[in-house]
Amino acid sequence: MPETASTPMTTPTDQLRARWGAEPGFTPEEWNPTLETMVSHRSVRQWLDREVTENQIRTIAAAAQSGSTSSNKQVVSVVAVRDPEAKRALGEVGGPNQFPHISTAPVVLVWLIDTSRIRKAVEQAQAEKPQIEYTGAEYLDEILVGACDIGVNAQNAVVAARSLGLGTCYLGSLRNNVERVGEILGAPEHVVPFLGLLVGYPDPEEPAGIKPRIPQSAYLHWDSYDAAAATDVGDYDQILADYFAQYGKPSSWTSGLVSRVGPKAVKVAKRHLLRRVFERAGFALK
């Protein structure tokens, strides 16, 4: 029987076994509801017709904003999209396979790399000391700072949402057409949408479970990087194939991985134009 949101898993070992699709190889010395919430994470794509309240959204946003931010720059903003037409438009960006769960989600949170506050501060500083040039935004690091901050924000939001009984699903698909997402959200050219998150009450009838990850031995390295271990994923292809077979979706992780970096995958959307988007936003990418 596939693991679903309603399937009880009584011990930490049960929960870790579901995460890897295999015996975990260790027993946690301590366990708590926070760890259970994080380890049992799954993506939700089927929603109950139930509102996520403004108060809940603000609470999730507070948790997200409480995440660490590089140098306290806070180059991140988030838009909570509840308007049905806007959600449908975002669903169109996501594509046919993602349109149903995007358009029907109660809330779509969209994080943006936002240099508006830095720009204003620099304008004020240059007005006072015009001889000083502020060129930090010309470097690739500024984009990476924003991307890292968004990752921290979004994962905090996921844990917060789960703690409130809500489900979530990340949307990297919004980068299929960042310019269009910016138009939908009314964002200026120098504010770049980067990541989305669906939030709502999970439909317990959704046929989905906890998708296994690569073995911890390929992910966790001790004191130095182990190149041989990193590429040894053991039986993961078969473990994932067995997982998807429960839902009638035969799949190979390795072949899927290769296809996602092939020429068709790269250019099927507009992700190959992201450099142009960031250059227009004022990042010189030095």
Side-chain angles (χ1 to χ4, degrees):
M1 176 180 179
E3 301 287 358
T4 68
S6 60
T7 303
M9 291 181 288
T10 57
T11 69
T13 300
D14 290 336
Q15 293 158 21
L16 291 171
R17 187 185 298 116
R19 175 48 64 207
W20 287 305
E23 293 301 319
F26 77 103
T27 301
E29 295 177 0
E30 298 180 51
W31 201 250
N32 55 57
T34 301
L35 288 169
E36 181 174 350
T37 294
M38 298 175 78
V39 170
S40 64
H41 167 77
R42 74 177 183 96
S43 295
V44 175
R45 296 179 176 85
Q46 194 167 305
W47 315 98
L48 294 179
D49 185 14
R50 183 176 173 185
E51 178 190 11
V52 176
T53 67
E54 179 177 328
N55 189 280
Q56 288 175 311
I57 295 169
R58 287 182 178 276
T59 301
I60 293 168
Q65 195 179 4
S66 296
S68 296
T69 172
S70 180
S71 300
N72 201 31
K73 287 183 177 179
Q74 302 185 70
V75 291
V76 170
S77 292
V78 64
V79 178
V81 181
R82 295 180 293 177
D83 176 72
E85 289 301 322
K87 287 188 293 182
R88 278 192 283 271
L90 292 174
E92 291 172 358
V93 173
N97 291 335
Q98 300 203 32
F99 181 84
H101 56 267
I102 296 175
S103 60
T104 59
V107 182
V108 184
L109 298 178
V110 182
W111 277 273
L112 312 96
I113 298 176
D114 186 357
T115 57
S116 295
R117 293 172 286 274
I118 287 181
R119 286 168 175 265
K120 183 175 180 179
V122 167
E123 287 174 4
Q124 293 172 341
Q126 286 186 321
E128 297 171 4
K129 297 180 180 180
Q131 71 276 17
I132 298 178
E133 293 186 13
Y134 297 88
T135 60
E138 295 183 4
Y139 294 90
L140 175 63
D141 185 61
E142 286 302 301
I143 295 176
L144 298 180
V145 164
C148 287
D149 275 18
I150 286 175
V152 172
N153 269 240
Q155 191 58 31
N156 266 21
V158 166
V159 175
R162 286 288 311 281
S163 76
L164 297 174
L166 298 163
T168 62
C169 182
Y170 280 117
L171 293 177
S173 61
L174 296 189
R175 292 194 299 279
N176 288 353
N177 191 340
V178 167
E179 292 168 303
R180 175 61 182 140
V181 175
E183 291 174 359
I184 296 166
L185 302 180
E189 195 171 61
H190 64 270
V191 177
V192 182
F194 193 79
L195 181 67
L197 183 73
L198 305 180
V199 182
Y201 285 93
D203 182 348
E205 299 301 317
E206 180 182 10
I210 298 171
K211 188 186 300 179
R213 298 289 194 257
I214 60 172
Q216 192 178 73
S217 57
Y219 166 78
L220 175 62
H221 303 251
W222 300 95
D223 297 319
S224 62
Y225 179 77
D226 186 335
T231 56
D232 183 5
V233 297
D235 298 327
Y236 183 64
D237 258 338
Q238 187 60 53
I239 289 171
L240 196 63
D242 291 344
Y243 168 82
F244 279 118
Q246 298 175 99
Y247 310 106
K249 300 176 181 178
S251 177
S252 163
W253 181 71
T254 300
S255 62
L257 198 63
V258 171
S259 69
R260 288 182 179 274
V261 294
K264 290 184 178 179
V266 172
K267 295 188 177 180
V268 69
K270 295 187 176 181
R271 296 195 191 193
H272 62 295
L273 303 177
L274 276 172
R275 179 179 182 131
R276 183 185 72 182
V277 172
F278 280 111
E279 286 175 338
R280 287 178 177 173
F283 298 96
L285 307 184
K286 290 183 178 180

